[in-house]
Structures are given as C-alpha cells and as structure tokens.
Amino acid sequence: MDFTVDDLMRNSYVMVTNDTEYEIFSRRMLNAGFENIPAKYVGLYPKVLFGGNVNGCALTHFNLVNMARTLNLDHITIFEYDAYPMIECRDKLEEFFSKGGVPDDAAEIVLGNLHFIRDWTDKGGSKCLVDVDAQRRFGRIKRDLWGAHAVVVFRNGYDKWIESYLMQPRQINADFFNWLTDNCYATTRSFFIQVKENLQYPSMMCDKEWLSDFPPIGTV
C-alpha cells in the first residue's frame, strides 16, 4: 500500500518521561531532516500500583495502541525517545517508501532493531526475517528480532496487539508482539538505532560496520 514520510509522521508520538528527553529527541529529528516532530506522550506509571514489577515502556506502547484504536486512526507511529535517526533519515525514508510503500497486509512495521540487520540475515547465521520481498526492502519478522523504538502499527493490527498483550501470563516487552502475529514486517536496514549517552546494547549489534549510516554518537 502507498505510504509516505508524511503518512509516517501524521499520527506519530514519542514516548518520554520529561521535557529534556523530548528536547533531545526533537533535536535529533530536526537534524535528520524531519519538519514535523512527533507529539510528546509522557509515560509515567507508579510502580507501587503494579507490585513494583511494571514495565513502563511496554505499558506506554499498549496505551498508545489502545488510544489509536479508540480514535480509529488508520495507523499510529511510535518512537521511544532514544530512537536515533540515520543521517538524512527523512530523505532516505522518502526514497525507500517511494519504491513500493509498505506491505498491504502489514499489522506493524519495524524501522529499526537491535540486530542491525541488513540483507535479512544476521552474523550468527540465523534468519531474523523470512519471506523477504524481491526488492529486499521488507521481510516478515521471525523470532529473536528485537526492537520497538521506531514502529508503525496499522489499524488491522490494533485488536491483535492489545489481545496479545492482555493474554500473556506475565508482563511482556513491546517487541514481543512481533513474534505473535504473522503480519509484522521489518525493513532490511535500520533507519533508527537506540542511543542515550552512548550506543545501547552494542553486543547485540551484529553489523557495526554500518554505524557510519548514523551521526557519530554524542554529536546530536
């Protein structure tokens, strides 16, 4: 289906816990060429209400998807505040989407992951993606593809996302949904990685040679 960067950003939110996080994220997006910055969504949950065991990040994802379902949005784009866009990310995404949009049956699109896959096979030899399209743009997510810091959830995925979350016997991470439905796709390159003061989860990034796609850590 047709999909553009303007579509991507139209119903977009970034999860933060304070204004400083929002300022950092906004600056990164502006430097990457984005003109429309996602709206701020403050996710704060008192742990005492949940036995001190709540995963606030996953709960915020849940609330945003539920909000999108309530408002009957055709999709929602969710960023975590530490999503770090590649150099000239907006233009690169526009070019990427212009070659065929997104899969028609997509329930969710993942725009960045912790395995930093490219050409859909990780360095350990296990395929993170299957059914990769002829242009090698998207593949369906197989188990063990981690990352929920830059995702688009579509209307046809809301009910499954919420049901999957509620049906689990224990708290799950937001990216577990990718494993619970056949219609979650990831791009075969990461347009966003995760960065706070430094690169997060460097041991899980199998393709460190492609960090040159991104601004040097700490410069934006």
Side-chain angles (χ1 to χ4, degrees), residues 12-134:
S12 62
Y13 295 83
V14 57
M15 299 161 37
V16 300
T17 61
N18 55 62
D19 288 342
T20 298
E21 290 180 349
Y22 187 63
E23 290 169 4
I24 292 171
F25 176 83
S26 298
R27 184 167 62 249
R28 289 173 176 168
M29 296 292 280
L30 288 168
N31 287 338
F34 292 93
E35 298 173 356
N36 299 321
I37 305 303
K40 176 173 60 176
Y41 188 94
V42 179
L44 292 174
Y45 306 99
K47 292 184 179 181
V48 66
L49 297 180
F50 301 91
N53 206 20
V54 67
N55 182 333
C57 179
L59 185 56
T60 303
H61 277 271
F62 176 88
N63 286 351
L64 281 165
V65 173
N66 192 48
M67 179 187 73
R69 182 178 67 165
T70 300
L71 297 176
N72 197 31
L73 302 180
D74 53 8
H75 72 276
I76 186 169
T77 303
I78 302 173
F79 294 100
E80 296 173 5
Y81 101 90
D82 50 6
Y84 195 77
M86 66 162 50
I87 297 168
E88 298 178 350
C89 187
R90 189 202 182 285
D91 290 344
K92 301 257 177 83
L93 274 172
E94 192 69 82
E95 178 185 6
F96 177 82
F97 289 139
S98 73
K99 295 178 179 178
V102 297
D104 289 339
D105 64 345
E108 180 171 325
I109 296 293
V110 176
L111 298 171
N113 63 82
L114 303 187
H115 292 278
F116 209 71
I117 55 170
R118 187 171 300 195
D119 293 338
W120 58 274
T121 303
D122 69 27
K123 295 295 185 180
S126 63
K127 293 180 180 178
C128 296
L129 301 181
V130 296
D131 301 331
V132 176
D133 61 43

Side-chain angles (χ1 to χ4, degrees), residues 106-168:
E108 180 171 325
I109 296 293
V110 176
L111 298 171
N113 63 82
L114 303 187
H115 292 278
F116 209 71
I117 55 170
R118 187 171 300 195
D119 293 338
W120 58 274
T121 303
D122 69 27
K123 295 295 185 180
S126 63
K127 293 180 180 178
C128 296
L129 301 181
V130 296
D131 301 331
V132 176
D133 61 43
Q135 292 179 300
R136 303 182 85 166
R137 297 170 62 244
F138 289 100
R140 294 181 189 270
I141 295 174
K142 192 178 177 180
R143 289 183 64 88
D144 300 328
L145 181 66
W146 296 86
H149 49 284
V151 300
V152 187
V153 184
F154 293 91
R155 181 189 287 129
N156 68 324
Y158 295 160
D159 288 346
K160 181 69 172 179
W161 204 108
I162 292 166
E163 175 190 351
S164 298
Y165 188 94
L166 292 175
M167 292 290 289
Q168 301 308 310

